[in-house]
Amino acid sequence: MWCRQARGSVPRRLAAGGGRALAGPSQGAVSGELLRHLEHLALVDFRDREGVERLRGAIRFADRLREVNTDGVEPMDSVLEDRCLYLREDDVTEGNCTKELLNNAREKVEEYFVAPPGILCCPECDLQLVSHNSLFSVR
Amino acid sequence: DGLGPGSGGGRRGPQGGPLAPWVPVVGLEIHAQISSNSKLFSGSQVQFAAPPNSLVSFFDASLPGTLPVLNRRCVEAAVMTGLALNCSINKKSLFDRKHYFYADLPAGYQITQQRVPIAVNGSLSYSLCIDNKMSQMVTKTVRIKQIQLEQDSGKSLHDDSRSQTLVDLNRAGVGLMEVVMEPDMCCGEEAAAAVRELQLILQTLGSSQAIMAEGQLRVDANVSVHHPGEPYGVRTEVKNINSIRFLAKAIDYEIQRQIEELENGGTILNETRAFDSKLGCTVPMRDKEGMQDYRFMPEPNLPPLILYDTKSLPANVNHQQVVNIDWIHERLPDLPSAKRAKLVELYGILPEHSFTLVNEDGLTEFFENVLKQTQMKPKKVIGWILNDLLSYLKQHSCTVKESPVSSVLLADLLNLLEKKEISASAAKQVFEELWKGEGKTPLEIVKEKQLQLIEDREELEQICQAVIDEHEKEVIMVVLESSGTVLSSKVNAFCCTA
């Protein structure tokens, strides 16, 4: 039920797992400007060729969605769309674990977490960005 | 100087003076902290001023493997507020992620309702006094675009000396209702009145305590100016406003700043500015640079929020798992506007009086308590409440609850006045004494200061005769003048010597 697609309209070549990307606006081309924008937003470093290639590959893979005819089909934005959203009673059941939480912190001041000053949103800032396939860390 | 009609500068008339008027446009984004025991998506406690990071669960700290669980009370608070603001409640609303990086947002995104919020298309009516006299009030309306549920962020303390930021996540994840108002207002006074009314409504509903000083009500103002008939101007966002008074000041300052900038041929940047309460001006905020791309996406861990009414309520349902809009509607308390109307109808007081009564915490109750204990008519009592009691309270920065004069004492005093045992001016003197809070009753003060009215005719005649006997010259003057005789300068001089 999570795939509200009319039966039989999935092209066989897609179902078979193979298939080439259709000519679309991206066609694997990611401009330098777009790259910088993405790096800025996601704090991920695409500086080397392999990173950019991975990104292009990901876009090519996602582009295959365009091959499917979705005319007249309501977009589905969550596989949970027909589940019930559970409502919790307004009781205090958590918290009071300051010590445990601060154990994870590399640096702390009294009982505060410590972070670098300002907003961390530009790669040119005092940050060490790691490669595209791991989390960023801060110098 | 190159200024033409289409440019941003002020247009000049034939004599070279400024011509076209400016139309300021003000919109508000208000964040009200929901009054609940626990947070929006976790079971940590909601409390102001607790030891740092003591009210934080693993989910609030965004540790991996944790999931959001929606608090029913927060949903009810948002529905109540939506109903009170005449909104349509969306029976199906959705949650989204709004991404940005900041030290006090551990997940790197905020869970909010960007696509389909819980309530839309409402209105808020508020009243203003014209000309600062409480004699003429005009009612205005501002449209409410939407109300959405979202998470609050933690708090950052900037330590510039050590070039670091200290982060306390106690506030991270607390439930907020964001109330978005359409830009229907035109000045600081209107915005202040609208926010004050919203504050009263939230406090009456109990959905938020809405105390601005504790950060439970935060207001950001969007301000722009344009000439009538022309498109809206570039707007700036003004933040860091900590009281309703500063809200009016900040907006009025920003309107002036924009007008002056444009009339001098400058342009307005679409930027965020902070209000500096000490200097009374707005300044650009360092950290905000241009438009943000929040990369909104549906919150994958939360199904749509479905609300019901009596018609759509499924049978055999667990009531704890269901929010019924009609049930909430039936239980809404009297809103401030209804309270004011009732006061006017019941007691025959003026609308302006009802505003003051409802505006001041505890004053209505005080007024009604006095009425219960006195025969004096409400229309006369209200004068004492608003002119005497309230002005003393304001002078001494007291709340009604802190008043040294209780409703019992005031009622006693008014009874003495009503029975004509003292005069109005004597009553004022007694009130002043009562204010000292020395525990004396009005009757005791009257006896002590001998303020009682004398009714005995013989006694009054004796007093009058004594006064006449002691002031011969003044008596002569009065007699001569009242008989129409014009006094010669010599007689005048004689009579005026002590």
Side-chain angles (χ1 to χ4, degrees), chain A residues 72-131:
Chain A
V73 180
E74 272 294 303
M76 177 178 72
D77 47 51
S78 169
V79 297
L80 301 171
E81 65 178 12
D82 51 0
R83 297 284 192 91
C84 260
L85 177 50
Y86 177 78
L87 295 174
R88 180 177 55 86
E89 280 299 313
D90 186 26
D91 296 320
V92 176
T93 56
E94 298 177 280
N96 256 312
C97 48
T98 319
K99 238 183 167 182
E100 258 179 297
L101 289 174
L102 288 174
N103 268 339
N104 284 336
R106 194 176 56 192
E107 258 190 88
K108 49 191 165 233
V109 169
E110 294 174 22
E111 283 165 332
Y112 291 91
F113 292 103
V114 179
I119 289 196
L120 323 172
C121 60
C122 37
E124 291 80 46
C125 293
D126 194 26
L127 287 177
Q128 181 177 358
L129 297 173
V130 297
S131 67

Side-chain angles (χ1 to χ4, degrees), chain B residues 110-182:
Chain B
Q110 176 199 35
I111 301 180
T112 176
Q113 293 188 300
Q114 192 252 354
R115 290 166 296 156
V116 187
I118 193 168
V120 290
N121 295 337
S123 65
L124 169 67
S125 293
Y126 60 96
S127 292
L128 284 178
C129 319
I130 309 181
D131 295 340
N132 262 336
K133 304 169 199 165
M134 278 298 268
S135 51
Q136 262 196 305
M137 304 208 85
V138 61
T139 304
K140 297 206 170 206
T141 309
V142 56
R143 290 167 297 158
I144 305 285
K145 178 162 184 252
Q146 66 190 55
I147 299 176
Q148 65 208 47
L149 280 168
E150 58 183 37
Q151 292 175 301
D152 207 345
S153 65
K155 273 214 187 125
S156 304
L157 304 171
H158 299 288
D159 183 357
D160 291 327
S161 62
R162 286 186 197 75
S163 205
Q164 62 188 16
T165 300
L166 302 181
V167 179
D168 173 13
L169 298 177
N170 282 347
R171 202 184 64 182
V174 171
L176 293 177
M177 292 178 288
E178 177 170 343
V179 179
V180 183
M181 291 184 177
E182 299 280 17

Side-chain angles (χ1 to χ4, degrees), chain B residues 39-53:
Chain B
K39 294 184 180 178
L40 182 60
F41 292 117
S42 74
S44 327
Q45 192 180 5
V46 175
Q47 195 186 292
F48 188 65
N53 293 307

Side-chain angles (χ1 to χ4, degrees), chain B residues 8 16 27 58 71 80 90 114 134-135 141 166 181 190 197 202 226 249 282 284 297 337 343 345 369 425 443 445 463:
Chain B
F58 289 178
N71 179 339
M80 268 199 287
N90 282 329
Q114 192 252 354
M134 278 298 268
S135 51
T141 309
L166 302 181
M181 291 184 177
E190 287 190 359
E197 186 68 7
L202 292 171
H226 65 279
K249 269 194 170 174
T282 62
M297 70 176 244
S337 49
L343 288 170
E345 205 198 304
N369 283 340
S425 56
L443 199 56
I445 297 172
I463 295 175

Side-chain angles (χ1 to χ4, degrees), chain B residues 43-93:
Chain B
S44 327
Q45 192 180 5
V46 175
Q47 195 186 292
F48 188 65
N53 293 307
S54 61
L55 308 177
V56 185
S57 69
F58 289 178
F59 170 78
D60 303 326
S62 193
L63 297 187
T66 55
L67 291 171
V69 186
L70 183 56
N71 179 339
R72 192 207 149 81
R73 157 71 189 158
C74 293
V75 178
E76 290 171 344
V79 172
M80 268 199 287
T81 305
L83 291 171
L85 295 177
N86 307 306
C87 295
S88 309
I89 307 294
N90 282 329
K91 292 225 191 72
K92 178 177 170 185
S93 62

Side-chain angles (χ1 to χ4, degrees), chain B residues 31 44 53 71 110 137 222 231 362 376 406 433 473:
Chain B
H31 289 88
S44 327
N53 293 307
N71 179 339
Q110 176 199 35
M137 304 208 85
N222 294 310
M376 189 182 271
S406 66
E433 272 304 304
K473 291 176 186 170

